[in-house]
Amino acid sequence: MKIGVLCYLAQEEKDEEITYNVEELKELARNIDIEIIDHLLQRRRPDPNYLLGEGKVRELKEKVEKENIEAVIFNLELSPRQILRLEERLDKVEIWDRTQVILEIFRRRAHSREGKIQVELARLTYLYPRMMGLGEMLSRLGGGIGTRGPGETKLEVLRRSVRRRIYHLRQELEEIHRNREVLRQRRTQNAIPVVALVGYTNAGKSTLLNALSLSENKVLAEDRLFATLDPVSRRVRLPSGRQVLLTDTVGFIQHMPAKLKEAFKATLEELASADLLLHVIDLTSPYMERQVAAVEDILKELGLAHRPLLKVYNKVDKFTGIPPVDGLAISALHGINLPILLRRLEEELFPVKEIALWIPFTRLGELARVRDRVEVVKEKYLPQGVEVLLRGRPQDLKLLEARIRGE
Ligand SMILES: Nc1nc2c(ncn2[C@@H]2O[C@H](COP(=O)(O)OP(=O)(O)OP(=O)(O)O)[C@@H](O)[C@H]2O)c(=O)[nH]1
Ligand SMILES: [Mg+2]
C-alpha cells in the first residue's frame, strides 16, 4: 500500500455529501492500493494552475514532505497543465484524479476481451483531449508564439496513433456487440424471461447470482469495488419449475466518468432487453439512499426508469433497524428470504392467469413445448384427451391455445 492524501475541492455540495464523497474516494483509492491517511478540503473556486489555491498547495507540499506521502488524489478532473504543475511542485509524488482512479480499477478488473477493449477505449478517449492540451503547452514552452515547438511533432505522431487505436477498438467492440445481439435474439425466440441485476457497486449482486443460480460455476463476488465487469448469465429455477435467466453486469457508482459510461454503453443498454430489473441495495450502507438515487439516475439516463423493477434490500443479516417497505429484505450471503424472492420473481414475470383447456392427445406435444413456462395445476384424463387447468403468463397461454387449435 502506498500512502496518500486526498484533495477535495467542494463546489456547491453540502457537508453530508462531502463526507460521503470523501469516504467513497478513500475506498476507491484503497482499490488501487493507496491508503488515504488525510485530506485537504478547499471551498474556493478551483485554481487554473493547481486546482488548489496557493495556500493549499503549500500546505499540501508540507504534508507530503513531513509524512512521506507517495500519492495525491483529487476529486475533480485535472487538466494536463495542472498535472504537470503539480508534479513540478510536489516531486516524486503520483498525481491522480477520481476519473483516473476509477479507470485504473477497471483496468485491473477487466478479464474478457470485451471488458479489456471497453476499458482501453475509456482510457484513450479520456487521454486524447488531454494530449491536445499537452501539445499546446509543450509548443508554448519549446518554441515561442506561432512557431512549432520540438514537442509538438512527436506529439502529433502519438496523437495520430491514439486516434487510430480508438477507431480500431470501436470497430472491434461493434463486432462483439453484433454477435451478442444475434445471440440475444435467439434467446428471445426461446422466450426464457430475463431478469437483470442492477445496483451500486459492492451491493451484493454477484453473491445473489451465485445464491440463486442452478450452476456450480460460481462468479466472483468479493468485498471490493467493481469486482464484476463482464456480463454473465445464469439459469435460475422458480418455485413452479419454470426457469429464468439472471444476468449480472458492471455495478454503478455516482458521478460515473463520462468516458467510461460511453465505453460501457452497449453493455448497459442490454439491460433494456430484460423483462425485469432486480435492484440490489446494500441495506447496511450509511449512504444507502444516496446510492439508490445514483442507481435510479443512471437507469433514467439509460431510458429504463419505467421498466418493471423489484427492489431487494440486501445484507439484512448485518442490519438491526427496520428495512424500508418498498422492497424485500434479503441476505444473499446467508440465504435469508430467498425463497420469497423467487416467489416474487415468479409473480412479476408470470402474472398468474388460469385457464381450463381440453387438449386432444394428438396435441399434447404442444403442452410439453411450453412446460418450462406454463404450470399444470390440475389434469383429468378423458377418452379423447386431457382436461387441464393451466397457470401461466397470459401471452404464453394464448400462444398455447392457438397452437392447440392448430393455428
Ligand atoms: N453480510 C453480508 N454480506 C454480503 C451479502 N451479500 C453480499 N455480501 C458481501 O458484499 C461484498 C460484495 O459482494 P458482491 O456480490 O461482489 O457485490 P456486487 O454487487 O457484485 O459488486 P460489484 O461487482 O463490485 O458491482 C462481498 O464481500 C460479499 O460477501 C449479505 O447478504 N450479507
Ligand atoms: Mg459483482
Side-chain angles (χ1 to χ4, degrees):
M1 279 274 188
K2 288 184 190 137
I3 298 172
V5 169
L6 194 66
C7 292
Y8 192 96
L9 279 90
Q11 292 179 300
E12 310 255 278
E13 58 268 47
K14 298 197 192 83
D15 284 354
E16 179 223 7
E17 196 174 345
I18 295 176
T19 311
Y20 175 66
N21 292 344
V22 166
E23 284 309 308
E24 183 166 87
L25 203 41
K26 281 186 185 173
E27 190 55 37
L28 287 165
R30 207 167 296 139
N31 278 269
I32 57 165
D33 304 313
I34 296 176
E35 185 72 39
I36 300 292
I37 57 161
D38 203 354
H39 72 273
L40 292 180
L41 180 67
Q42 171 173 303
R43 286 183 188 274
R44 349 177 321 194
R45 223 159 30 85
D47 177 273
N49 289 327
Y50 300 105
L51 212 60
L52 296 173
E54 181 54 36
K56 287 283 175 198
V57 175
R58 261 189 241 136
E59 196 184 322
L60 178 62
K61 191 170 167 57
E62 233 168 74
K63 207 182 278 295
V64 162
E65 281 163 8
K66 217 167 69 200
E67 301 177 45
N68 293 323
I69 301 296
E70 300 163 276
V72 178
I73 299 184
F74 287 81
N75 65 318
L76 299 182
E77 283 189 3
L78 293 161
S79 71
R81 188 211 304 202
Q82 287 165 336
I83 294 179
L84 279 184
R85 292 249 156 99
L86 283 162
E87 276 173 352
E88 263 168 35
R89 286 288 288 269
L90 312 162
D91 54 36
K92 303 219 179 62
V93 174
E94 289 177 13
I95 310 283
W96 294 82
D97 62 27
R98 181 178 184 272
T99 296
Q100 290 171 323
V101 173
I102 295 179
L103 287 171
E104 174 61 15
I105 298 175
F106 272 64
R107 190 186 66 77
R108 294 185 185 194
R109 307 283 194 263
H111 296 297
S112 72
R113 177 101 199 95
E114 180 185 18
K116 284 184 177 155
I117 293 175
Q118 284 168 317
V119 174
E120 192 185 344
L121 196 55
R123 284 162 59 89
L124 290 180
T125 51
Y126 172 81
L127 187 74
Y128 186 68
R130 267 138 225 284
M131 293 173 73
M132 311 274 232
L134 212 62
E136 243 169 63
M137 210 178 74
L138 287 181
S139 61
R140 210 172 308 143
L141 289 177
I145 297 161
T147 54
R148 258 174 173 266
E152 207 189 13
T153 35
K154 246 190 229 157
L155 238 136
E156 182 47 45
V157 173
L158 196 61
R159 233 189 278 167
R160 200 176 320 131
S161 79
V162 168
R163 242 184 348 248
R164 265 202 219 113
R165 180 87 185 133
I166 289 176
Y167 176 79
H168 174 76
L169 290 171
R170 286 204 171 119
Q171 296 265 309
E172 222 178 313
L173 208 52
E174 254 173 51
E175 173 73 29
I176 293 175
H177 291 139
R178 256 198 307 276
N179 289 338
R180 239 214 331 268
E181 180 62 16
V182 172
L183 286 177
R184 195 177 63 73
Q185 278 173 1
R186 242 178 255 158
R187 208 159 60 206
T188 315
Q189 281 160 9
N190 291 337
I192 299 180
V194 176
V195 178
L197 293 163
V198 293
Y200 215 74
T201 176
N202 215 41
K205 298 177 294 299
S206 303
T207 309
L208 185 59
L209 182 81
N210 286 335
L212 296 179
S213 142
L214 296 170
S215 161
E216 285 305 308
N217 183 5
K218 298 302 180 200
V219 301
L220 175 81
E222 45 179 358
D223 191 13
R224 48 183 206 171
L225 302 181
F226 302 110
T228 309
L229 282 198
D230 300 317
V232 286
S233 306
R234 293 281 185 274
R235 276 169 187 262
V236 170
R237 197 194 306 280
L238 299 181
S240 66
R242 287 184 284 238
Q243 294 192 2
V244 294
L245 213 55
L246 187 61
T247 68
D248 182 17
T249 45
V250 58
F252 296 170
I253 192 164
Q254 59 163 355
H255 313 303
M256 189 86 157
K259 298 300 178 196
L260 213 47
K261 255 192 288 190
E262 251 170 65
F264 279 79
K265 199 159 182 274
T267 305
L268 293 174
E269 276 172 356
E270 286 194 12
L271 293 172
S273 67
D275 297 273
L276 177 70
L277 302 176
L278 196 57
H279 182 175
V280 183
I281 299 158
D282 181 352
L283 188 54
T284 64
S285 164
Y287 307 103
M288 181 184 84
E289 276 151 34
R290 186 171 293 282
Q291 299 183 341
V292 168
V295 171
E296 286 173 350
D297 282 348
I298 295 177
L299 290 178
K300 208 181 290 168
E301 259 179 66
L302 294 167
L304 300 172
H306 301 291
R307 301 292 312 212
L309 181 143
L310 213 68
K311 279 184 182 172
V312 288
Y313 291 97
N314 190 29
K315 312 194 186 180
V316 69
D317 56 292
K318 266 200 337 195
F319 184 73
T320 46
I322 300 168
V325 291
D326 65 339
L328 179 66
I330 62 159
S331 168
L333 196 61
H334 299 283
I336 300 171
N337 281 347
L338 297 187
I340 299 178
L341 173 59
L342 290 174
R343 222 177 307 140
R344 291 264 169 94
L345 289 180
E346 182 118 51
E347 286 163 11
E348 279 293 325
L349 291 167
F350 306 94
V352 268
K353 189 189 165 209
E354 289 188 346
I355 56 163
L357 208 62
W358 182 80
I359 309 176
F361 288 131
T362 51
R363 293 264 170 216
L364 221 44
E366 297 297 342
L367 180 60
R369 275 172 70 180
V370 294
R371 258 330 280 271
D372 59 334
R373 276 166 284 148
V374 173
E375 186 189 354
V376 179
V377 185
K378 261 196 260 171
E379 56 188 357
K380 190 169 152 199
Y381 281 80
L382 300 170
Q384 308 284 307
V386 198
E387 209 173 73
V388 287
L389 183 62
L390 299 176
R391 185 187 288 157
R393 285 200 298 187
Q395 62 264 46
D396 288 331
L397 293 173
K398 232 164 98 186
L399 183 71
L400 177 64
E401 268 185 300
R403 283 184 183 160
I404 286 171
R405 281 198 304 268
E407 287 166 15

